[in-house]
Amino acid sequence: MTPPIIRIEHIARYEGQEVTLRGWLQLKTGKGKLQFLRVRDGTGIIQAVVFRGNISEEEFEAAKRLPLESSLIITGIVKGDARAPGVPGGYELDVRHLQVVQEAAEDYPIGPKEHGVEFLMDNRHFWLRSNRQWAILRVRATIVKAIRDWLDDNGFILVDTPILTPAAAEGTTTLFQTDYHGTPAYLAQTGQLYNEANIFAFGKVYCFGPTFRAEKSKTRRHLQEFWMVEPEIAWCKLEELLEIEEQFVSYIVQTTLRERAAELKALERDTSHLEKVIPPFPRLSYDEAVACINEAAARGVTVPPHDDPLPPLEWGNDFGAPHETFIASLFDKPVFVHHYPSAVKAFYMEPEPGRPEVCRSADLLAPEGYGEIIGGSERMSDPDVLLAAIDRHGLPREPYRWYIDLRRYGSVPHSGFGLGVERTVSWICGLEHIRETIAFPRMLGRLNP
Ligand code: ATP
Ligand code: MG
């Protein structure tokens, strides 16, 4: 009987049986009659033990000679309870046959020694094969699935929005311009304006796709291309929006903790903070936040990562990274900061009645210094107020005519938010830099590979 071809993730079902695995050689040790091959197949890692007496002479010689990253097919008996160092899962394969599919070149660029970040980024196409990147991107896949599951199960309809757009939606300074048959077009900074059209047909919608922003400064939290999920909800005021956001975020975190425990352990993530991410989340107004910041700045409080002094903040200005880090450090859960000054936010946010200098917006700041993961708000419902805001922001009226018209035919209070996938992955995995959260990051000064 030919042994079944299986994946390492299912190895436990086959203890004591002969199976075939297909994968890549990740590490090799051994001497004399015994070779230990650490083999990776995309679903897991296993130690394959090649003993000279159990295998043909040619196959043993091939194993001995085999360069790292060669592809191979191995057949052997699954042995339980092996405590191979550095190999999770506790199983090994006692090899009886070994077939080399492609013998890799000897000079695989990534070795066990420390490499610089630039070198690793140049070799991102290989770096992805490392255990750490593997763990991060598996966590990412689970986060994305949790996002979709929660929205799909809570009455939201997925409606995809365009990537090529005729106008700015989030400020004109971060636009990527392209040519649309002789007319300038821009890569989408958000799908929100289209989401707002879609709620009148579907009630609760979301779009989920790549988002493009020509960010002009290098930070640990900004990519040029990132993935954003944007729910938009009819008949929803700011207070209800925050309740939806906290349910959503806690579902994403708790699902990931449950389903990717092994990967988070491999990343040495201390998950105790994440376990506390359960509603309700604290809420702080922008006014209160500014007061806290200025009081602490006067006391000479310092903030991570470099323990620089917290700068004071003049009312009306947007937060910098140190302000976000400081505010988040006051709580052990994500915190909402609401009612920002209208002048620092996008044009479409509803002003607070009786206090138009602030808007009905809220950002969600992640704990442990990971910064803003969600930006959201109630949207302007009055067409005249909206037109005035478009003028005030120096935006052309014509491309927004359809958007303003939405308010003339059945306008309702509505709200929505955008959650950045890569920021969420950074936070949940505990990463220093956003570059590791996506397979091929697009960053300032890097378009390759
Ligand atoms: P920031 O102030 O950090 O630049 P923002 O106010 O521009 O954020 P929004 O326009 O509210 O962000 O976008 C919603 C979410 O998208 C953010 O909360 C964040 O999670 C994510 N996001 C925004 N810009 C980027 C970027 N350049 N790279 C990765 N994620 C981003
Ligand atoms: Mg921004």
Side-chain angles (χ1 to χ4, degrees):
M1 201 181 77
T2 31
I5 298 174
I6 68 154
R7 311 217 303 169
I8 294 172
E9 65 183 338
H10 299 139
I11 198 89
R13 300 179 196 162
Y14 296 90
E15 193 174 338
Q17 298 178 41
E18 196 170 36
V19 300
T20 295
L21 300 173
R22 300 179 293 193
W24 296 268
L25 179 62
Q26 196 179 39
L27 196 75
K28 193 175 64 170
T29 53
K31 53 173 188 253
K33 295 183 176 148
L34 215 46
Q35 294 292 321
F36 297 103
L37 312 183
R38 190 192 289 179
V39 175
R40 175 188 84 235
D41 79 343
T43 71
I45 302 166
I46 195 164
Q47 168 131 293
V49 181
V50 187
F51 175 61
R52 189 170 211 151
N54 285 343
I55 190 168
S56 78
E57 196 55 33
E58 303 92 87
E59 286 176 325
F60 185 79
E61 284 309 315
K64 231 171 117 178
R65 205 180 49 236
L66 207 55
L68 296 186
E69 292 302 322
S70 296
S71 44
L72 70 170
I73 301 175
I74 44 178
T75 299
I77 297 155
V78 179
K79 295 266 171 80
D81 237 21
R83 295 272 176 268
V87 181
Y91 290 91
E92 63 179 30
L93 195 73
D94 192 355
V95 178
R96 300 302 150 105
H97 289 290
L98 180 147
Q99 179 196 339
V100 177
V101 177
Q102 193 256 333
E103 189 169 314
E106 293 281 355
D107 54 356
Y108 183 65
I110 298 187
K113 71 170 185 327
E114 286 277 310
H115 295 290
V117 168
E118 286 308 307
F119 177 85
L120 290 170
M121 290 303 296
D122 286 340
N123 287 283
R124 185 66 178 163
H125 50 301
F126 293 134
W127 190 21
L128 288 174
R129 303 180 186 191
S130 75
N131 294 349
R132 177 180 162 85
Q133 302 309 312
W134 179 79
I136 294 169
L137 292 179
R138 281 166 66 93
V139 170
R140 177 188 169 106
T142 297
I143 290 171
V144 169
K145 182 170 188 307
I147 287 171
R148 291 192 184 283
D149 285 348
W150 193 89
L151 292 167
D152 293 344
D153 292 347
N154 282 277
F156 288 79
I157 297 290
L158 171 70
V159 186
D160 300 310
T161 52
I163 285 174
L164 289 166
T165 64
E170 288 293 326
T172 47
T173 54
T174 61
L175 281 174
F176 276 111
Q177 186 173 329
T178 177
D179 172 60
Y180 196 74
H181 308 290
T183 306
Y186 308 96
L187 302 184
Q189 298 165 303
T190 166
Q192 186 209 310
L193 305 189
Y194 298 98
N195 268 344
E196 287 188 62
N198 295 334
I199 58 163
F200 294 91
F202 303 98
K204 298 203 284 185
V205 300
Y206 71 100
C207 63
F208 194 0
T211 306
F212 306 88
R213 295 195 188 172
E215 309 279 2
K216 306 292 191 318
S217 56
K218 280 192 182 169
T219 81
R220 300 180 298 137
R221 304 276 167 253
H222 290 91
L223 293 167
Q224 308 290 307
E225 174 182 316
F226 63 98
W227 282 66
M228 182 156 64
V229 59
E230 296 177 89
E232 189 74 27
I233 308 138
W235 312 105
C236 178
K237 309 275 281 180
L238 183 64
E239 295 71 20
E240 193 189 333
L241 183 72
L242 302 195
E243 286 169 17
I244 292 169
E245 289 181 25
E246 63 195 1
Q247 296 293 336
F248 178 59
V249 169
S250 112
Y251 177 82
I252 295 166
V253 171
Q254 299 310 322
T255 302
T256 308
L257 284 180
R258 202 172 54 244
E259 294 183 3
R260 289 292 175 225
E263 285 80 0
L264 292 170
K265 187 157 179 256
L267 294 167
E268 298 178 354
R269 178 66 166 126
D270 170 3
T271 54
S272 60
H273 290 281
L274 297 172
E275 278 151 22
K276 295 183 199 137
V277 180
I278 303 286
F281 298 167
R283 288 145 168 79
L284 198 68
S285 71
Y286 173 87
D287 295 348
E288 291 166 328
V290 171
C292 288
I293 288 165
N294 287 331
E295 185 272 328
R299 273 191 289 125
V301 165
T302 59
V303 279
H306 306 299
D307 284 331
D308 291 327
L310 174 67
L313 185 71
E314 193 182 330
W315 196 99
N317 289 337
D318 205 356
F319 290 175
H323 303 121
E324 285 185 355
T325 301
F326 170 73
I327 293 294
S329 74
L330 303 175
F331 305 94
D332 60 1
K333 291 184 189 187
V335 51
F336 290 112
V337 178
H338 57 88
H339 286 90
Y340 281 84
S342 305
V344 301
K345 289 291 179 191
F347 70 91
Y348 49 72
M349 299 191 179
E350 179 83 335
E352 178 63 27
R355 222 193 138 193
E357 71 279 14
V358 295
C359 57
R360 295 179 58 75
S361 64
D363 286 355
L364 184 66
L365 309 181
E368 303 170 79
Y370 288 97
E372 180 197 318
I373 53 169
I374 289 183
S377 75
E378 208 171 303
R379 318 304 192 190
M380 250 176 218
S381 45
D382 183 300
D384 298 325
V385 181
L386 189 56
L387 203 57
I390 287 172
D391 291 346
R392 206 170 46 248
H393 278 79
L395 297 167
R397 286 184 177 194
E398 192 45 42
Y400 297 100
R401 196 159 301 281
W402 65 269
Y403 180 71
I404 299 163
D405 268 354
L406 297 173
R407 274 74 182 160
R408 297 177 59 231
Y409 301 96
S411 196
V412 293
H414 63 286
S415 302
F417 66 91
L419 171 122
V421 168
E422 291 75 14
R423 296 256 180 108
T424 308
V425 175
S426 271
W427 168 41
I428 294 181
C429 290
L431 308 181
E432 296 236 315
H433 199 290
I434 200 162
R435 65 183 155 235
E436 290 179 282
T437 61
I438 185 165
F440 292 97
R442 294 292 165 250
M443 303 190 303
L444 194 60
R446 177 175 290 281
L447 189 57
N448 282 305

